[in-house]
C-alpha cells in the first residue's frame, strides 16, 4: 500500500469567537497540543508552501524505511533478526532497493508535486490559532484510518477480481514478493493517485484540523511501511491491538504470498465479513 501520500496541511474551519464575543478558555486537551501547534504555525512559510507536501511525504517515508533497510542488511548475519523475519531466506538486493526508491522519488516529482502546486495556486487557507482537543484529534485519526481501510479494501478487491485492472494498475505492486519496506510505494501512478484521493477526501469530509491531518498522514505512512517490512516483532502494531482486530505485517505478508486473501490494509473485519481472511486451510 501504499502509502505513500500528498500530505499538505489543510486548514479546517476554526470554531473561534468573533471579535465581539468573549474568548473561551481552551480545554485541557487543547492545552496539551497547543505548544506543538504553535510551533508548526511559527513555520507557516514552510507548511503552507507548495513544496511541503512532497518534502514531508518523502522524508517521512524514507525515515520510516531506513531502519528496515538496515535490518535487511544485518539479517543474514544476525540470528535474532532472522527469527523475527517472516520469510528469513528472502532479502532484497541493492538493485531492488534502489529501484523502489527511484520510483518513489520520480512519482512524487512528476505526479504529487504538480497536484500540490495546483492546490497551492488556489490560495492556502489561513491556519486556525487553536489546536484541536486531544480526544477530537484521536477520534478523527481513528475514523480516517477506518474509512481508508474500507475504501482501499473495496479498491483492492476490485483490482484483483478484474483481470484488466490488475494487469494494468495493480500488478506492479506485486512484482516484489515477498515485500520489503521500500516496496511500500512501488505503485502504479493510478494506485498512488487513488490512495492520495482517499486520504484527501476523508480529512475533508471529517473537517479535520490541520494538526490532525499531519498526525493521520504520519501514522498512515508508518503503518503502510510496517505492513510491507517483513518483520514480526513483539512490539509490532498487530500485537498491541487485542482480539486480532488489526492484521498488520503478518496479515499483509500473507496477501503477497496468498494472492486472493487479506485485502484490507490494516484491520481484519472486512476480510472476516466477506470470507477473504487467510486461514491455515485456505486453498
Amino acid at each position: 500500500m501504499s502509502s505513500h501520500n500528498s500530505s499538505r496541511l489543510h486548514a479546517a474551519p476554526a470554531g473561534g469567537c468573533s471579535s465581539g464575543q468573549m474568548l473561551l478558555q481552551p480545554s485541557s486537551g487543547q492545552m496539551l497540543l497547543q505548544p506543538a501547534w504553535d510551533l508548526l504555525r511559527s513555520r507557516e512559510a514552510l507548511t503552507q508552501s507548495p513544496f511541503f507536501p512532497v518534502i514531508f511525504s518523502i522524508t517521512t517515508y524514507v525515515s520510516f524505511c531506513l531502519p528496515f533497510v538496515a535490518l535487511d542488511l544485518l539479517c543474514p548475519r544476525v540470528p535474532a533478526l532472522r527469527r523475527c523475519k517472516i520469510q528469513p531466506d528472502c532479502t532484497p538486493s541493492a538493485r531492488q532497493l534502489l529501484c523502489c526508491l527511484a520510483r518513489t522519488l520520480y512519482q512524487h516529482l512528476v505526479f504529487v508535486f504538480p497536484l500540490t502546486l495546483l492546490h497551492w495556486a488556489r490560495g492556502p487557507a489561513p491556519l486556525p490559532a487553536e489546536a484541536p482537543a486531544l480526544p477530537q484529534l484521536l477520534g478523527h485519526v481513528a475514523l480516517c484510518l477506518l474509512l481508508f481501510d474500507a475504501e482501499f479494501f473495496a479498491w483492492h478487491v476490485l483490482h484483483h477480481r478484474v483481470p484488466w485492472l490488475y494487469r494494468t494498475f495493480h500488478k506492479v505492486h506485486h512484482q516484489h514478493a515477498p515485500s520489503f519496506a521500500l516496496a511500500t510505494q512501488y505503485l502504479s501512478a493510478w494506485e498512488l493517485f487513488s490512495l492520495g484521493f482517499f486520504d484527501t477526501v476523508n480529512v475533508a469530509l471529517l473537517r479535520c484540523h490541520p494538526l490532525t491531518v499531519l498526525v493521520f498522514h504520519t501514522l498512515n505512512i508508518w503503518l503502510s511501511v510496517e505492513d510491507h517490512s517483513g518483520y514480526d516483532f513483539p512490539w509490532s502494531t498487530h500485537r498491541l491491538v487485542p482480539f486480532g482486530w488489526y492484521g498488520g505485517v503478518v496479515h499483509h505478508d500473507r496477501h503477497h504470498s496468498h494472492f486472493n486473501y487479506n485485502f484490507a490494509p490494516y484491520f481484519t473485519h472486512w476480510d472476516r465479513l466477506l470470507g477473504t481472511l487467510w486461514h491455515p486451510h485456505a486453498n
Side-chain angles (χ1 to χ4, degrees):
M1 270 98 19
S2 79
S3 121
H4 26 297
N5 304 305
S6 175
S7 310
R8 184 172 188 173
L9 290 179
H10 298 278
C17 302
S18 66
S19 57
Q21 292 175 309
M22 181 182 296
L23 294 175
L24 297 175
Q25 291 294 324
S27 67
S28 58
Q30 286 176 310
M31 292 175 66
L32 285 172
L33 299 175
Q34 194 64 46
W37 179 236
D38 288 340
L39 179 62
L40 282 173
R41 289 182 67 236
S42 70
R43 307 290 193 273
E44 190 168 352
L46 171 64
T47 60
Q48 295 288 71
S49 78
F51 302 102
F52 180 74
V54 175
I55 293 172
F56 169 81
S57 181
I58 290 177
T59 55
T60 304
Y61 174 68
V62 173
S63 297
F64 287 156
C65 286
L66 283 178
F68 292 112
V69 173
L71 293 179
D72 284 335
L73 296 174
L74 293 171
C75 186
R77 295 180 291 276
V78 181
L81 282 179
R82 287 179 60 83
R83 287 194 292 270
C84 293
K85 191 165 175 62
I86 298 171
Q87 301 193 44
D89 295 325
C90 299
T91 302
S93 66
R95 181 182 179 87
Q96 286 177 300
L97 295 171
L98 290 174
C99 180
C100 289
L101 179 60
R103 190 180 189 94
T104 296
L105 296 176
Y106 171 80
Q107 290 190 329
H108 276 75
L109 179 64
V110 174
F111 299 114
V112 176
F113 180 64
L115 289 174
T116 57
L117 192 62
L118 287 174
H119 183 83
W120 175 84
R122 295 169 52 194
L127 298 177
E130 294 182 352
L134 183 60
Q136 181 192 59
L137 182 146
L138 295 176
H140 277 173
V141 168
L143 285 173
C144 283
L145 284 175
L146 287 167
L147 284 172
F148 179 84
D149 192 73
E151 292 156 349
F152 186 71
F153 175 84
W155 187 99
H156 203 184
V157 170
L158 182 67
H159 283 71
H160 271 267
R161 294 288 190 254
V162 180
W164 179 81
L165 290 176
Y166 177 79
R167 289 194 308 269
T168 308
F169 300 117
H170 189 53
K171 185 177 180 179
V172 63
H173 183 61
H174 281 270
Q175 287 182 7
H176 297 286
S179 188
F180 49 91
L182 274 174
T184 305
Q185 292 189 10
Y186 195 82
L187 311 167
S188 67
W190 168 246
E191 185 165 353
L192 181 69
F193 172 80
S194 299
L195 300 182
F197 176 77
F198 297 150
D199 280 358
T200 303
V201 167
N202 292 341
V203 298
L205 285 175
L206 295 174
R207 299 167 63 89
C208 293
H209 188 281
L211 182 59
T212 304
V213 176
L214 197 64
V215 172
F216 164 63
H217 284 314
T218 302
L219 180 60
N220 202 21
I221 293 172
W222 163 251
L223 293 177
S224 297
V225 169
E226 186 191 43
D227 268 9
H228 292 82
S229 68
Y231 288 92
D232 181 13
F233 292 114
W235 55 83
S236 294
T237 305
H238 70 281
R239 295 183 178 275
L240 305 179
V241 179
F243 310 120
W245 290 340
Y246 186 87
V249 60
V250 174
H251 179 85
H252 196 68
D253 191 84
R254 283 173 179 158
H255 169 72
H256 279 265
S257 57
H258 298 81
F259 190 74
N260 291 317
Y261 297 91
N262 296 3
F263 292 106
Y266 302 141
F267 303 100
T268 59
H269 54 275
W270 290 113
D271 283 305
R272 291 180 190 277
L273 287 171
L274 297 178
T276 54
L277 186 69
W278 183 90
H279 54 87
H281 303 294
N283 293 323

